[in-house]
Amino acid sequence: MTTTYSSGIAEDAAPPKVAENDDTYWRAVGRRLMRDKVTLFCGAILMLMAALILFAPLVAPYGPTDGSIVRRLKPIGTPGHLLGTDELGRDMLSRLLHGGRYSWFVGITPVAIAFLVGGSIGIIAGFAGGKINMAIMRVTDVFYAFPSVLLAVAVSGSLGAGIANAIMSLTIVFIPPIIRVAESVTTGVRNLDYAEAARATGAGARSIVVVHILPNVLGPIFVYATSLVGVSMIVASGLSFLGLGIKPPDPEWGLMLNTLRSAIYSQPMIATLPGICIFMTSVCFNFVSDGLRTAMDVRA
Amino acid sequence: MTAPAPLVRARDLHVSFVSRDATVKAVNGVDLDLDAGEVLCILGESGSGKSVTLRALMRLNPPNKAVVSGELSVAGHDMVTISDRQLSSVRGKVVSMIFQEPMTALDPVYTIGRQIGETLVRHEGIGRREAEQRALELLELVQIPSAKRRLQAYPHELSGGLRQRAMIAMAISCRPQLLLADEPTTALDATVQIQILLLLRQLQQELGMGVIFVTHDLGVAGEIADRIAVMYAGRMVEAGSTVDVMRGPLHPYAKGLLGATVHSGLRGTRLTTIPGSPPDLRHPIEGCAFAPRCPHALETCSAGVPEFRPMQAGRAVRCFRSEEIAGATTRPPSRTTPQGVLLP
Amino acid sequence: MIAYILRRVLYIVPISLAVSLVCFMLVHIAPGDPIDAMVQPDTPKEVIDRVRAEYGLDQPLPVQFGLWLLKVVQGDFGTSLIKGRPVLPDLISASGATFVLACTGGLLGFVTGCVFGGIAGVYRDSWIDRVLLAVAVAGVSVPHYWLGMVLVIIFSVNLNMLPAMGAGPGGSAVSIFDWEHIRYLILPSITLAVIPAGIVTRTVRGLVSDIMSQDYITTLRGKGLRRHGIVGHVVRNAAPTTLAVIGLQLANLMGGSILVETVFAWPGTGMMLNTAIFQRDIPVLQATTLVLALFFVVLNLLVDLVQTSIDPRISRR
C-alpha cells in the first residue's frame, strides 16, 4: 500500500525548531543547486578566474607594467605574447590577469560593504518600525532620486580619481537599494505568525532578532546583494573607463579598454579583450545570483 | 429515429497531469451521462478529481500538462478530438462555467460590462455597443441591483455575492445548453450562498440548461440536484437520484460524507468525521482507494479495484461490500468531533 | 485618489530639496578648498578673497546652501570655471541631445524587452524561454561601453557603414531628423538599448507568466476567447507595472548615458559631465547632476501618476 497520509498533526504538535528546519532547508538548497548546470558552470568559471587573478604574479608571464614601445600592438598569438601586446608594448595576458585583481576588488568590495552596512540599517529599520523606520526610509528615498550611474560618477568625479574614491562612491550607490530590500524582508518576517508568537510568549527583542528574524532575513538580502555584483563590476570598470578609479599605469579592465580605444583600427581584437573579461565576469555573477535565487526560493 | 443523444456522455474518461517530477492521475475512468435540462451534482472532498472532471468537460485543464483520454461528447461535439478552433466556439456558447472564487476568476482591470459583453461579441457577432446593452439585461436577469451602475464597475468594487452574480451573468450570456459550476458558493457567506443557489435553480429552469454542479457540501447538493454522483480518488463511487443517495447512501464514503454534514433531518444525532485523508494520486492505488479509511474494510478490499456496479432504480456503487453494509443501520464507529457533541 | 495625487506631487518638494542638498555637497566633498579649483594657483590673496565673497564661500554652509538654492530657483545654475560663462545654455542643448539618444535607445530597448519578455512568459519553462532569458541576462551583464566599441569596430571600422562618433553635421541631433543625422544615432541607440532591453525582458516575462497562471485567464478560455483575445487581457494587466519599469529605465538612461556618450562622443550631458570631471570644473558637474537628478525625480512622479491612473485596482479605490 503506497497511500500516504497527511503529516499535519505531527507538524502542528512539534515546536518550531529553527536550527533543524534550517538544516533541511539548506540541504534542499544544495540539492537544487547541484541540479542547476548553468549555475554550476558559471560558478566554476568564476572560481577559475578568481584563482588566476589571485595568483596573477605567479601565472603571468610578464610584469603588468613591463613593456617596450618597440613591441607595441603585436597581434594575438605572437610568440611570447599569447594575447598580444597593448599600445605601449605591454603583454596583454599579464595585464589582464593583474587587471582582474583591481576590477574584481573595486567591483566586489562596494557590494560587500553595502551588504554589511545597508543590511544592518535595513534590518534595524524593519525591526524598529515606526518613526525610526520612517526616518531611515526617507533618507534612502533621496538617494533613490539619482540614477545609479550618475550618482557614482558625480560622487567619484567630485572626489577625484583613485581606488578608494571609486569604492566609496559605489558603496554609496549600493547602500540604499540594499536597505530597501533588507527593510521589506525584515518587515515581512517580523509580521509573520511565529515572530508574533515569539513575542507573545515573552521573548525579548534581542532573542527574537537573533533566533527568528536573522536566519530568515539574511538569505534574501544576500541573494539580492549577489545580484548587484554584476552591475557593480560594470560600473566600477566604467568609472576607470572614464578616468575615475584606477590610475595608469596600473592595469584595470575598464581603464585598459579606454586606453586601447586608439587601437580599434589596428588591433580591434586586442582592444576588445578587457571588455570580454568584464562581460564574462558580470554574466557569470548574474547567472550564479539567479541560480542562488531560484535554489533558495527567494521571491524577487 | 433513435432517442436524442444525451447532452453529456463520458465513457472511461481519464485525466492525468504530467510534470517532470510526477504524474498525477486525477481522474481514472469516469462514466457520466447528463440529459438536457438535468441537474447533476458531483460530490467529493478536495483532491477527489471532481473539479478536474468538470474542467475536462470543456477541456479547461492546462493544455500543456493535462492528458485526457477516453470518450467524451458534449452536445454532439467530440471533446477529445475537437480542434482548438472549434473548441473556442463551443466554449462560452454551448457550454460555460462558473468558478469558485469570483474575485480571481474575473479580470481585475476590465469592467463587469466589458467582460460580459466580450463573450457576446465573440459568439453572437454583435458590436460592442449592443453587447453592452445585452450585458445590462443580463445583470438585471441575475438580479443585480442598480445594474446600470454596476456595468461600469470593476470586480474589486463589488461584494462577493454580486461578483458571483456577474460571473453567472457572463456564463449564461449566450444561453448555453450546459452550465458547469465549480463550487460556486463555497467562497461566499452562508446567507449569500442560499441566494446564489436559488438564482441558479431559477435560471436553470427558465433557460432549460443542463447543469453539472461540483461541491463538497451535501446541503448544496440536496438543494439543487436531480441526481448526485460521489467521487473519490478520481473515480465515481456512488451515483443515484438525490433523494435515494441522501436517504440511503450505499458506499461507506458517501455514508461518511452524510455523517459529517450538519443535516436538518438528522437533528440530535452526532456528527461524525471520516478519519484520515484522501490518497496521494501520484502513486498507483491497488484495490479500493477508500479501504484505508473505511470502517468496513476487509483484507480482500485491497485485492482489486471494485467495479461500479449498477443497482436498482438507476443507482450504482463501487464497493465490494455494499449489500452487507446496507443491512447494518448503525453509523460507522468513527471518531466523534467535539463540535458534534455540542449540537442540540 | 485625488488626495494621493496631491500627496505624491507635494512629496516632490522635500525630495527635490534633499537632492539639491546632495548636489550642493558635491562641491564640498571635493578634496581641498573649493576656491582652489576656481582660480589659478598663483592668484593674489585679495583676488581669492574677492572670489570667495562673490561665491559666498566665506559664509557658513547652511547659508551657502540657501544662497545657492536661491540662485538655482532663479535659473542661475552657476558659471563654468573653464569657459567662464553660465552653465545653463550649454546644459539645455546637451540635455536635448541626451534626451533624443535616451528616447531612441529606450524605445528600442523597451520594444525588444516587451516582445522577448512576452514570448518567454507565455512559453515559460520551454526552450525558447530559456534562450530568451539567457539573452536577457547577457543583456544586463554587458559593459555597454565595450559593446559600443565592438559595434564601432564592426560597423564603422570594418564595414564602413555607420559613423563612429559625433552627432552628425552641425554637431547636434536635437531638431533635425534626416538620414544624415539618424545615421549617427543608430550605434549609440543600440548600445544604450541593451541594458533596458534585458531588464524589461525579465520584468515582462515574470509579469506575463504570473498573469497567465491566474484564474481569470482560465475564465477567458472558458468564454471561448481565442488567443488574440486573451493576449489583449494579458497586455492590459501587465501594462501598469511594465510602464512603471520602463519609465524608471528611461530616467536611468537619461542620467546614465555618460559612458555611451563618452564612447561615441555624443554631445549630451554625459559628455559634459565627462569634460567637467577632467577639467575639474565642479560647478558644471554640480549643475549637470542637479538637472539630471531633478529630471529623474519628475519622471518618477509621472510614472507613479500614470501607473495609478491606468490601474483601476489603484485608481478606483
Side-chain angles (χ1 to χ4, degrees), chain A residues 4 16 21 57 106 121 129 136 162 165 170 177 180 182 216 279 281 286:
Chain A
T4 54
N21 289 346
V106 183
I121 297 177
I136 293 177
N165 290 345
L170 282 169
R180 271 205 184 174
N216 292 290
F279 184 37
T281 316
N286 279 329

Side-chain angles (χ1 to χ4, degrees), chain A residues 158-191:
Chain A
S158 299
L159 291 173
I163 296 182
N165 290 345
I167 290 178
M168 195 194 292
S169 64
L170 282 169
T171 309
I172 292 175
V173 168
F174 290 127
I175 285 179
I178 292 186
I179 290 181
R180 271 205 184 174
V181 170
E183 190 265 347
S184 83
V185 174
T186 311
T187 308
V189 172
R190 192 173 83 119
N191 294 340

Side-chain angles (χ1 to χ4, degrees), chain B residues 58 60 63 88 91-92 104-110 114-115 118-119 122-123 152 154 156-157 167 170, chain C residues 130 214-216 218-226 229 232-234 236-237 311-314 316-317:
Chain B
M58 56 194 296
L60 263 189
S88 74
R91 284 172 176 168
T104 59
L106 290 169
D107 188 329
V109 303
Y110 278 62
R114 181 83 192 277
Q115 295 192 54
E118 208 173 30
T119 318
R122 164 74 183 87
H123 293 293
Q152 304 304 325
Y154 289 92
H156 71 265
E157 295 171 319
M167 184 92 220
M170 197 165 86
Chain C
R130 273 186 284 265
Q214 295 290 319
D215 288 352
Y216 55 80
T218 312
T219 311
L220 295 177
R221 291 202 293 135
K223 276 157 74 168
L225 286 202
R226 297 202 204 92
H233 281 260
V234 173
R236 186 85 168 256
N237 272 280
D311 192 336
R313 284 165 294 191
I314 310 175
R316 306 249 311 218
R317 189 148 277 169

Side-chain angles (χ1 to χ4, degrees), chain A residues 141 144-145 234 272 286 290, chain C residues 11 141 145-146 202 280 285 296:
Chain A
D141 280 355
Y144 254 88
I234 296 176
T272 60
N286 279 329
D290 278 5
Chain C
Y11 186 52
S141 313
Y145 39 95
W146 166 77
R202 295 170 92 171
R280 302 230 24 95
L285 175 71
F296 194 73

Side-chain angles (χ1 to χ4, degrees), chain A residues 127 194-209 211-212:
Chain A
F127 191 70
Y194 64 91
E196 288 289 334
R199 206 170 306 137
T201 57
R206 243 179 81 102
S207 75
I208 294 176
V209 172
V211 177
H212 298 278

Side-chain angles (χ1 to χ4, degrees), chain A residues 29-51:
Chain A
V29 169
R31 203 169 43 239
R32 275 185 291 235
L33 269 184
M34 293 315 281
R35 270 209 310 236
D36 186 350
K37 293 199 184 63
V38 176
T39 304
L40 286 183
F41 180 71
C42 291
I45 292 184
L46 284 180
M47 301 256 210
L48 184 69
M49 285 175 92

Side-chain angles (χ1 to χ4, degrees), chain C residues 58 85 271 309:
Chain C
D58 50 352
R85 60 169 196 237
M271 273 280 277
S309 63

